[in-house]
Amino acid sequence: MRHVLTLFELSSAEIERIFIVAEDLKTKLQQGVREPILPGRVMALLFEKPSLRTRVSFEACMTHLGGATQFLGAEVGWGKRESIADFAGVLGQYVDVIVCRANQHARVEELARFSGCPVINGLTDLAHPCQALADLFTMREVFGGLAGRTLAYIGDANNVACSLAVACAKLGVRFAIASPRGYQFEEGFLKQLQQDSPKCEVTATTDPAKAVQDADAVYTDVWTSMGQEAEQEERRRAFAAYQVNADLMAQAPRHAIFLHCLPARRGEEVTDAVMDGPQSRVLQQAANRLHAQKGLLAWLLGSQG
Ligand code: CP
Ligand code: NVA
């Protein structure tokens, strides 16, 4: 049994396999075919934080694939009414897979330890693997392949940035990140990345213009993630020079696309002109959450792995 708590747990070949299945299922859906490859399978969606994309795309995935979902919000009392171990041991007997969005990564790890069924991380403070799968799937779709491409990430070295860095390292994509001091990757993470993918090409700078100079994709995320609201003002000041706007996009190659995991705070990390401009692929990227996750589920639960 496999869990997907971070992308460190997947090999490059496994990610490529997920993309091939995702591509096939996306084409079929566009032709009106919803192949029920997971009949009767049940997914629990255990969420401690709000969500549009992750929740609804997983619900739609399971419906398309012939399975069902149950959404469990705060009222289920996870870790409050009973221990996480007891909760996981029970829930894992009712369902085939759990997607969990949690405040602390350690809670998802504990859930996985005791669940007896696969657990997929639907976002924690440390990682957002499903997002990065959809993002790299989008780049692969736009450019017809990934090897030798460069993704530039501007902003906070947060959960999304960490998962993107791992996905890029595994798929031969250069990763250039520009963040202010104090908001950069931790040394421990960079060491783990290097050990996991010795050939990875990661560059870190404080200069956004430098990061985007060879970019095929320019990516940003909110300056203040869920759970960091108390730091909002401080973060607005720290990231003021890190907005992705028309001036910054003009420093990137002309063919570069713009990506954002969404939700966006327009006027902060990105301007309307970039979000709605010709280089933006944010809607295609959001749509691909559905398709990439189908590939992931087929690999994890189906016979297509
Ligand atoms: N990008 C993303 O995970 O969006 P939600 O928070 O709406 O799920
Ligand atoms: N970094 C953001 C991503 C939201 C999808 C957060 O954690 O809130």
Side-chain angles (χ1 to χ4, degrees), residues 50-55 101 122-123 128 131 226 261-263 289:
S51 169
L52 168 64
R53 282 143 288 265
T54 308
R55 175 180 175 173
R101 171 166 288 199
L123 182 146
H128 198 2
Q131 181 66 52
M226 291 182 276
C261 56
L262 306 179
R289 291 294 304 274

Side-chain angles (χ1 to χ4, degrees), residues 49 101 123-124 128 131 158-160 221-222 224-226 261-263:
K49 299 181 183 190
R101 171 166 288 199
L123 182 146
T124 62
H128 198 2
Q131 181 66 52
N158 61 14
N159 44 9
V160 170
D221 183 16
V222 289
T224 304
S225 285
M226 291 182 276
C261 56
L262 306 179

Side-chain angles (χ1 to χ4, degrees), residues 37-43 62 66-69 95-97 300-303:
I37 57 174
L38 299 178
R41 300 300 185 96
V42 181
M43 169 187 284
M62 287 303 280
T69 52
V95 303
D96 299 286
V97 58
L300 200 58
L301 302 178
S303 56

